[in-house]
Amino acid sequence: MLSDLFSPSVQHWLDIAGIFVFAISGALLGVRKNFDVFGMAVLAEVTALGGGLFRDLVIGAVPPAAFTDLGYFLTPLLATLIVFFLHPEVERITTAVGVFDAAGLGLFCVTGTVKAYSHGLGLTQSATLGLATAVGGGVLRDVLAHEVPSLLRWDRDLYAVPAMVGAAIAAVMIRFHALHGPTNAVPVLTAFSLRLLAMRFNLRAPRAWHRRSRAVEEV
């Protein structure tokens, strides 16, 4: 499926790139929380590898890829070192980091779906694990940092929804045997584009209809 579009070598480096950008976001949160370098590294590793680790454990792909490919494990450490020494500069290019993060989101929601399906799961379950692959690391990062997970907050741009859409499109295309060759790019680019649109126009999911709560809203 995705291997029809990318060679194993290209796919591997795309994974590394996605892991690197996710790890940058984890390490940056560690800086904002005033964590030491170890805490930054933990957040970077969890953010970059948590979603894929969860998926592999659920589908029984053990040992998980995070423990069989040294590059997967070392890349978040490299990101941590960069943020440790250059975090003011990294903070200034957050828009660029966000674009690459969106690309990783689009790629991982599809690769997660495909891998889950290839291990015998149904289409709905595969799409769910595709979503978990893309956003699971961010949820673990926020929980460890004592933050409300970003994808649960109304005041954050859409993040889980683009991944959900990308994973769902991938599942539908698998159902109709359409996910092959160049068509593999369709769900990836869809999720990527939706995330960029959410960032550009501050798109957010709606809250409860006729919400009457007077609770003070967290910013």
Side-chain angles (χ1 to χ4, degrees), residues 46-65:
V46 165
T47 307
L49 305 177
L53 181 62
F54 173 77
R55 176 204 62 215
D56 288 349
L57 291 176
V58 169
I59 64 179
V62 292

Side-chain angles (χ1 to χ4, degrees), residues 47-48 51 72-73 80 91 94 106 109 114 128 130 135 149 152 177 188 194 197 200-201 203 209:
T47 307
Y72 284 15
F73 183 78
T80 301
E91 289 277 12
T94 51
C109 72
V114 171
T128 300
V135 305
L152 300 181
H177 308 288
V188 175
L194 286 176
L197 287 172
R200 174 64 179 83
F201 298 105
L203 302 180
W209 191 253

Side-chain angles (χ1 to χ4, degrees), residues 73-172:
F73 183 78
L74 293 180
T75 298
L77 298 182
L78 173 61
T80 301
L81 287 176
I82 292 173
V83 173
F84 181 80
F85 289 107
L86 301 172
H87 63 88
E89 289 76 12
V90 176
E91 289 277 12
R92 284 198 287 270
I93 60 169
T94 51
T95 299
V97 172
V99 171
F100 286 108
D101 181 87
L105 183 80
L107 179 67
F108 286 176
C109 72
V110 177
T111 56
T113 301
V114 171
K115 186 169 184 179
Y117 184 76
S118 69
H119 278 73
L121 269 66
L123 292 173
T124 300
Q125 294 87 344
S126 296
T128 300
L129 278 185
L131 171 64
T133 303
V135 305
V139 172
L140 292 174
R141 171 202 65 205
D142 292 342
V143 169
L144 286 176
H146 296 282
E147 293 271 331
V148 176
S150 296
L151 62 85
L152 300 181
R153 294 183 57 169
W154 74 271
D155 59 336
R156 299 294 174 88
D157 300 337
L158 293 178
Y159 194 83
V161 171
M164 190 183 308
V165 171
I169 292 175
V172 170

Side-chain angles (χ1 to χ4, degrees), residues 184-198:
N184 288 309
V186 172
V188 175
L189 292 177
T190 299
F192 173 63
S193 300
L194 286 176
R195 175 56 184 157
L196 289 185
L197 287 172

